[in-house]
Amino acid sequence: MSSTDHTSTVSNDRYERRELLQPGAVETWSGLDRTLNRPVTIRRATADSEIGHRLRLQAKALARVEHHGLLHILDTYDDANHFAIVTEQLPTRMLIDDITSAGPDTRRLAATEAIRIVIAVTEALAVLHSAGFAHGGVDADYIGWRAEVGWVILNGPPTDDAVTIPATRRADLVSIAVLAHRLLAGAAPKRRPDGTWELDHVVPDVVAPVLARAISASDPWPDVPSMLLALRSVVDELPATNGERSDRRSVWQAEGHWLAPVGVLLAAAATLVGVALVIEQPSEPETDAPPDTDAPAPVTGTSTLVTVDPPATATTAPRATPPTPTTTQVRRAPLLLESITDFDPAGDDRVEHPERLIFINDGDPTTGWSTARYNTRDFGGLKDGVGLIVVLGGDEPQPVDRLVIDSPTVGWAFEVYASRERNRTLIDWGSPVAIAQDITGSTTLDVSTADAAALLVWITDLGNELPNGGHRVTISRIEVSTTLGGTV
């Protein structure tokens, strides 16, 4: 985007328009939030025009849409005879610059890098669709890189969609395929005279069917989430390329800069524990006896507890043969999770990003469910908390021993509630069985309690401010386990 006007204009008491980045029915300006002293983007249209009315309606609805791949709407205001929306600052690095070489040809990206970029864009479109909006078509010219979150779609509703009518979900699917082809082959797929598309031979075999179905007129993908699942399923099958660089930035990198030093400390601790085990390990006496072939095989995650029975009487007696130790094998087994549901009893629609629940326990630590983004760590004073209801598998309540949660969020807090029923109101859950505060990284809680059919993870503190502003909690993995015991 090139600047065409460098006139600084004070829009109102808070926001200042600085440079006109893109003229048109919806103008795009660089600006400054003078209250918070941070750069922003201001987009505005004539208030009494059809486009202005549509922009106002869309901005109100889209203000609730949260995804790191979409520019977040920070505010709206009336500016003279214009209606304006305020979003995060536009990135300075654009995807089109990454793939444009000095010559006339477009530079091709390595297959894995290209598909990861496409997955990031598709994830953002899936969230947009779940909110009831279509984008109208994405391309490399309007996808930018933000170091703290990754690739971001810069246009679309409530901007271009206010001008390009109608925007359709079908067009979004086609645009994803065209974008992927452009990144992989250096150009868009060719259109045959009969209206079908021809894919370049350099498109990897595992990717070609996914793109072909997206642009198929007879049997396209039914929706963006379906195509997203297909893309995720093939990315690990792509061949590694020497010198390939990946621009995908996970939520762990964006929100957890603490992971590197913590990882070093954990590695050092593990080394010390290993040395201690070697030093304290008693030497085995030599024996000619054959091994006990009937002994049970060791079980992963098993710890051995050794207890000594007390003497039968307290009277002094000659030293007798020491009592035989009793060894108890303690094993923890993960419990099957039937479902995980978002829980927002104080919210307007009583849901908190249900479209992101599929990213919990998906095997990818770079994804996860996230709360909405709030201005403060106490939910902007709007509510006491939000949470997740974890329903355990099985027909009957089961004993619960431990809860493990992986999250990149720094400094957050939550409470754990247990119930024999699958309750839906916070008051029905009783008192918390465990509390965790000031959390950083993976957290393991002992939640030994009576048998439970469901757990409530109730978030009470959203943690430290994110690099790009605001507060939210992301959870990528939840594991619930029980203890199995026996005497040997």
Side-chain angles (χ1 to χ4, degrees):
M1 295 184 183
S2 60
S3 172
T4 59
D5 189 341
H6 294 271
T7 303
S8 179
T9 304
V10 176
S11 298
N12 63 2
D13 291 339
R14 177 167 182 174
Y15 298 107
E16 176 183 330
R17 284 182 287 113
R18 291 192 162 180
E19 296 182 15
L20 180 61
L21 303 176
Q22 185 176 5
V26 179
E27 300 174 346
T28 300
W29 292 74
S30 66
L32 176 69
D33 181 342
R34 299 193 298 173
T35 300
L36 298 178
N37 192 31
R38 65 176 176 181
V40 295
T41 300
I42 299 172
R43 283 166 166 159
R44 67 175 197 161
T46 304
D48 59 358
S49 66
E50 179 182 352
I51 292 173
H53 287 302
R54 180 178 288 272
L55 188 68
R56 187 185 297 271
L57 292 174
Q58 287 186 335
K60 182 178 179 180
L62 282 163
R64 292 182 57 85
V65 178
E66 290 270 357
H67 190 270
H68 57 268
L70 301 169
L71 282 183
H72 179 52
I73 297 178
L74 303 173
D75 198 1
T76 63
Y77 67 92
D78 289 293
D79 175 18
N81 64 333
H82 289 79
F83 172 74
I85 63 172
V86 181
T87 70
E88 298 164 319
Q89 183 184 24
L90 296 179
T92 56
R93 172 187 165 190
M94 304 297 294
L95 179 58
I96 186 63
D97 297 329
D98 278 16
I99 63 174
T100 302
S101 60
D105 298 329
T106 302
R107 186 174 71 88
R108 291 163 43 192
L109 300 183
T112 302
E113 179 184 6
I115 296 304
R116 284 177 174 168
I117 293 174
V118 173
I119 287 175
V121 172
T122 308
E123 288 174 348
L125 285 181
V127 171
L128 196 64
H129 285 196
S130 69
F133 291 90
H135 182 278
V138 295
D139 58 60
D141 296 87
Y142 292 97
I143 297 173
W145 172 260
R146 297 185 65 176
E148 67 272 21
V149 294
W151 295 105
V152 181
I153 301 174
L154 307 182
N155 65 338
T159 52
D160 287 5
D161 187 46
V163 182
T164 307
I165 303 173
T168 65
R169 300 185 180 193
R170 177 77 188 99
D172 288 351
L173 279 167
V174 173
S175 72
I176 294 171
V178 172
L179 173 65
H181 195 280
R182 188 177 182 185
L183 299 182
L184 291 166
K190 296 180 180 179
R191 201 75 180 263
R192 298 189 182 99
D194 60 359
T196 59
W197 299 81
E198 180 180 350
L199 301 182
D200 193 284
H201 69 279
V202 301
V203 176
D205 292 341
V206 294
V207 177
V210 180
L211 304 188
R213 186 172 181 185
I215 56 182
S216 170
S218 58
D219 183 29
W221 292 106
D223 49 37
V224 166
S226 299
M227 184 177 181
L228 178 59
L229 290 175
L231 288 169
R232 285 177 175 159
S233 69
V234 304
V235 68
D236 291 332
E237 301 178 34
L238 296 173
T241 304
N242 292 334
E244 176 187 344
R245 59 179 179 83
S246 175
D247 283 326
R248 175 168 179 164
R249 185 178 179 88
S250 70
V251 293
W252 292 90
Q253 295 169 300
E255 300 180 13
H257 303 290
W258 42 265
L259 279 179
V262 169
V264 172
L265 291 176
L266 289 177
T271 302
L272 292 176
V273 170
V275 171
L277 290 176
V278 170
I279 294 175
E280 296 181 7
Q281 179 66 39
S283 59
E284 293 292 338
E286 295 183 2
T287 176
D288 295 329
D292 183 1
T293 56
D294 295 329
V299 181
T300 302
T302 299
S303 58
T304 302
L305 303 181
V306 179
T307 59
V308 178
D309 297 328
T313 65
T315 58
T316 303
R319 177 170 298 183
T321 303
T324 303
T326 302
T327 303
T328 304
Q329 295 289 345
V330 178
R331 297 175 296 169
R332 289 188 177 88
L335 294 175
L336 178 66
L337 307 185
E338 180 178 305
S339 65
I340 301 177
T341 308
D342 57 303
F343 184 59
D344 185 18
D348 293 340
D349 51 9
R350 297 188 179 275
V351 295
E352 184 89 2
H353 288 317
E355 76 281 354
R356 301 182 186 176
L357 293 170
I358 61 173
F359 301 135
I360 299 179
N361 295 340
D362 66 350
D364 184 354
T366 65
T367 62
W369 170 86
S370 298
T371 67
R373 180 162 41 184
Y374 297 85
N375 292 331
T376 64
R377 63 190 307 155
D378 63 348
F379 305 90
L382 301 174
K383 57 189 73 173
D384 295 328
V386 298
L388 295 171
I389 296 176
V390 181
V391 177
L392 306 180
D395 297 330
E396 299 294 333
Q398 303 181 59
V400 174
D401 176 62
R402 280 190 175 180
L403 172 69
V404 179
I405 292 181
D406 289 350
S407 170
T409 307
V410 177
W412 65 294
F414 68 92
E415 300 172 345
V416 181
Y417 295 78
S419 174
R420 294 178 61 88
E421 307 293 336
R422 299 173 182 185
N423 300 316
R424 292 294 176 178
T425 59
L426 186 59
I427 194 172
D428 292 334
W429 288 89
S431 300
V433 297
I435 297 176
Q437 296 179 330
D438 195 20
I439 303 167
T440 296
S442 180
T443 303
T444 300
L445 285 181
D446 291 326
V447 290
S448 300
T449 182
D451 292 355
L455 300 177
L456 169 61
V457 178
W458 182 246
I459 300 168
T460 56
D461 187 330
L462 294 170
N464 297 353
E465 185 175 8
L466 301 175
N468 60 331
H471 301 259
R472 67 167 173 237
V473 169
T474 298
I475 295 176
S476 59
R477 183 173 75 101
I478 296 178
E479 180 181 292
V480 182
S481 62
T482 188
T483 295
L484 307 175
T487 301
V488 297

